[in-house]
Amino acid sequence: MSLRILAAAALLVISQAAAAADPIVIKFSHVVAADTPKGKASEFFAKRAAELTGGKVKVEVYPNSTLYKDKEEMEALQIGAVQMLAPSLAKFGPLGVREFELFDLPFIFDSATELHKVTTGPVGKMLFTKLESKGVKGLAYWDNGFKVMSANRPLKMPDDYKGLKMRIQSSKVLEAQMRSVGALPQVMAFSEVYQALQTGVVDGTENPPSNLYTQKMYEVQKNVSITNHGYLGYAVITNKKFWDGLPADVRGQLEKAMEEATTYANKIAQEENDESMAKVKASGKSDVYTPTAQERLALKKAMIKVHKEMESRIGADTLREVYKETGFDPSKL
Ligand code: LMR
């Protein structure tokens, strides 16, 4: 064999080895703790993506805002500095797709089952289509759960919220929701909430128990009220150009991994939140209160006007479709 052929053969072996050693890297950034529904589901996805692609894809998960905070992560995805995120549905307004804020409407879903009718129905699909013009592709909806309210005073009736500075996510619907009970909403990145509560920059907040517990917010909030007044969930998104540029077989394997991760996320979300709530209660640091049916109804009556106020932002037709899918009847209040 000539030297030249030997050299060429050696080169081929080297380049094949390099290809095997050089997997496609997906940076998956998120803002919550690893030990939450989103944290666990993203790790699950990373594991299945590696298995199903036979190591061709390596998903690196960066939890707890270690790579990017809320606002930065959206920008990072659009410029391709990260390939995957799972922002809460309340964080798509600044991207220009404000219809996502329909999920923030107070008291719109009575259960995760009702919510899933929307995410798996025409509205869920329409929202993902709208993302594409922003260079973003929607891959899945993942559950977290229903939110509780917290502050340093008991929160029973709507009047109890008056004058409280409440941290919210970047959603106009959440802003209107807090104003509807006389609170003063303050948009803030998730990574800053604990300190803001601790130092009194804000008085209170809302989040599902998994976030309340894992961010230790309950340590600096004397009162937690299990209002379940609104839902918090996620859209898993990717950079569209990156996704479309993947080899078709790899993309298919990743879609399968995402399907499995979604089933897993939605299966564990409720359990994770129940466990977190139990731990908050056991800590004795916050007084956890379950509103009576009457108190919850009073809160609902105070907040429900937000649906009408936000109708033009979300789109009357979209809202009607959501009501149809969930069976919500605004005239019955
Ligand atoms: C928040 O900012 O409160 C949540 O969106 C955090 C999260 O991703 O669950």
Side-chain angles (χ1 to χ4, degrees), residues 101-102 104-108 172-173 176-177 180 300-317 319-320 323 328-331 333:
E101 291 176 11
L102 74 89
D104 302 331
L105 285 166
F107 294 97
I108 192 166
K172 294 282 182 235
V173 170
Q177 171 204 273
S180 73
K300 184 171 181 176
K301 283 195 162 149
M303 288 183 165
I304 212 74
K305 58 176 177 260
V306 173
H307 288 227
K308 197 88 207 126
E309 271 171 40
M310 291 289 124
E311 189 185 78
S312 62
R313 185 168 174 87
I314 284 150
D317 289 349
L319 201 53
R320 236 190 324 268
Y323 289 162
F328 180 93
D329 185 351
S331 66
L333 282 162

Side-chain angles (χ1 to χ4, degrees), residues 25-288:
V25 173
I26 293 182
K27 289 195 164 100
F28 189 149
S29 172
H30 69 80
V31 299
V32 296
D35 196 15
T36 55
K38 176 161 68 178
K40 287 189 172 178
S42 53
E43 290 293 351
F44 183 101
F45 171 70
K47 182 169 170 287
R48 290 301 288 144
E51 286 166 2
L52 290 168
T53 63
K56 279 193 216 149
V57 171
K58 183 169 189 288
V59 180
E60 295 173 354
V61 181
Y62 298 89
N64 243 334
S65 310
T66 43
L67 202 54
Y68 295 107
K69 298 183 194 174
D70 290 323
K71 194 170 159 299
E72 305 160 0
E73 70 173 17
M74 280 289 195
E75 289 158 8
L77 185 83
Q78 284 183 294
I79 61 167
V82 290
Q83 290 70 38
M84 240 183 229
L85 307 173
S88 85
L89 301 165
K91 290 178 184 166
F92 286 78
L95 192 68
V97 193
R98 51 198 198 178
E99 292 89 339
F100 272 92
E101 291 176 11
L102 74 89
F103 294 103
D104 302 331
L105 285 166
F107 294 97
I108 192 166
F109 306 113
D110 278 335
S111 63
T113 312
E114 277 187 18
L115 170 273
H116 292 156
K117 285 187 187 153
V118 179
T119 49
T120 58
V123 173
K125 287 194 185 73
M126 175 274 285
L127 293 173
F128 277 0
T129 308
K130 288 207 169 225
L131 286 178
E132 304 218 345
S133 65
K134 313 287 174 193
V136 173
K137 185 169 173 60
L139 296 175
Y141 290 97
W142 285 357
D143 278 346
N144 188 336
F146 287 87
K147 294 177 286 186
V148 301
M149 293 280 201
S150 66
N152 288 311
R153 78 162 71 139
L155 300 169
K156 297 183 177 176
M157 293 297 278
D159 266 3
D160 298 330
Y161 294 83
K162 245 187 206 139
L164 286 181
K165 280 181 273 162
M166 297 293 278
R167 179 270 169 174
I168 54 162
Q169 306 173 78
S170 57
S171 156
K172 294 282 182 235
V173 170
L174 296 180
E175 207 174 301
Q177 171 204 273
M178 289 303 185
R179 288 201 197 284
S180 73
V181 287
L184 309 168
Q186 202 151 321
V187 174
M188 188 179 287
F190 185 65
S191 54
E192 283 154 29
V193 181
Y194 174 84
Q195 209 185 359
L197 290 170
Q198 190 189 33
T199 55
V201 169
V202 289
D203 303 308
T205 190
E206 57 167 13
N207 240 299
S210 59
N211 284 339
L212 179 81
Y213 178 69
T214 55
Q215 297 296 323
K216 300 193 185 338
M217 294 177 198
Y218 69 100
E219 291 186 357
V220 287
Q221 295 277 265
K222 290 200 181 74
N223 300 86
V224 172
S225 189
I226 307 183
T227 45
N228 292 330
H229 60 284
Y231 171 82
L232 189 151
Y234 309 106
V236 188
I237 54 176
T238 183
N239 179 299
K240 182 166 160 41
K241 207 163 143 204
F242 164 78
W243 194 255
D244 292 344
L246 287 170
D249 59 333
V250 170
R251 197 167 47 238
Q253 288 151 349
L254 290 178
E255 277 163 3
K256 172 100 180 44
M258 184 53 66
E259 222 177 278
E260 290 181 19
T262 303
T263 304
Y264 171 78
N266 295 353
K267 184 174 152 287
I268 64 162
Q270 183 68 48
E271 297 159 22
E272 290 285 318
N273 278 307
D274 290 347
E275 268 172 39
S276 291
M277 198 69 246
K279 286 177 185 161
V280 170
K281 282 183 183 163
S283 78
K285 299 221 156 127
S286 284
D287 182 37
V288 179

